[in-house]
Amino acid sequence: MTDLLTRLTAMLDDLDADVDETIDLADEVAASGDAGLLPRLQAELDRALTERNAYARELLGGVLAAIGGPDALPTLIRASAVDLGDDQDGLAAEIVDLVQADPKTAGSLLRPLTEDEDLAVANRAEWALRFLP
């Protein structure tokens, strides 16, 4: 599965990579459910943020959500708090789905983030908590 993730990150870096093929590959990595990929996915998401790559943030966020479940919420909230000038529709939907899928876990992970030093993180956590059922 690591080879697929290596291919995915290479495609995310390649401006000429086929979008549909990249999305299909991201879906394949997500469907693997391989929790062993989480540290590398988080590192790649951090790199995408550093490089201000909104497209990579969106796809990697979806893969992280699929594999990490609600436990990925803090990472996704922190990634969402970085303004890259995009609409974040996909990432927002992933966050909302995780919050609604496991409200108890989501609440326990998000509430501490509402007091984060980074006001953008705190605001995103407050936003996400509004989707608790």
Side-chain angles (χ1 to χ4, degrees):
M1 195 53 53
T2 300
D3 291 335
L4 289 179
L5 183 54
T6 299
R7 257 183 66 215
L8 176 60
T9 57
M11 291 176 81
L12 290 170
D13 290 339
D14 181 0
L15 296 176
D16 295 325
D18 181 86
V19 173
D20 291 332
E21 187 179 331
T22 305
I23 292 169
D24 289 346
L25 188 55
D27 290 344
E28 188 175 346
V29 174
S32 76
D34 185 352
L37 296 176
L38 288 171
R40 173 113 181 267
L41 284 165
Q42 290 176 349
E44 291 297 336
L45 180 59
D46 288 343
R47 185 172 68 89
L49 295 171
T50 299
E51 294 175 359
R52 305 196 51 77
N53 185 338
Y55 175 59
R57 171 177 63 184
E58 193 88 0
L59 285 181
L60 292 169
V63 175
L64 262 167
I67 295 175
D71 290 336
L73 278 168
T75 299
L76 297 176
I77 290 293
R78 289 186 185 288
S80 178
V82 178
D83 183 5
L84 299 180
D86 60 326
D87 62 15
Q88 295 191 44
D89 285 350
L91 185 57
E94 297 289 353
I95 291 169
V96 170
D97 287 348
L98 291 175
V99 168
Q100 293 180 339
D102 188 345
K104 183 178 178 185
T105 300
S108 69
L109 292 170
L110 293 172
R111 282 188 189 91
L113 292 176
T114 64
E115 298 185 22
D116 196 272
E117 290 179 9
D118 183 337
L119 195 53
V121 170
N123 288 338
R124 290 307 286 173
E126 287 282 348
W127 166 84
L129 283 169
R130 294 188 312 202
F131 295 97
L132 287 173

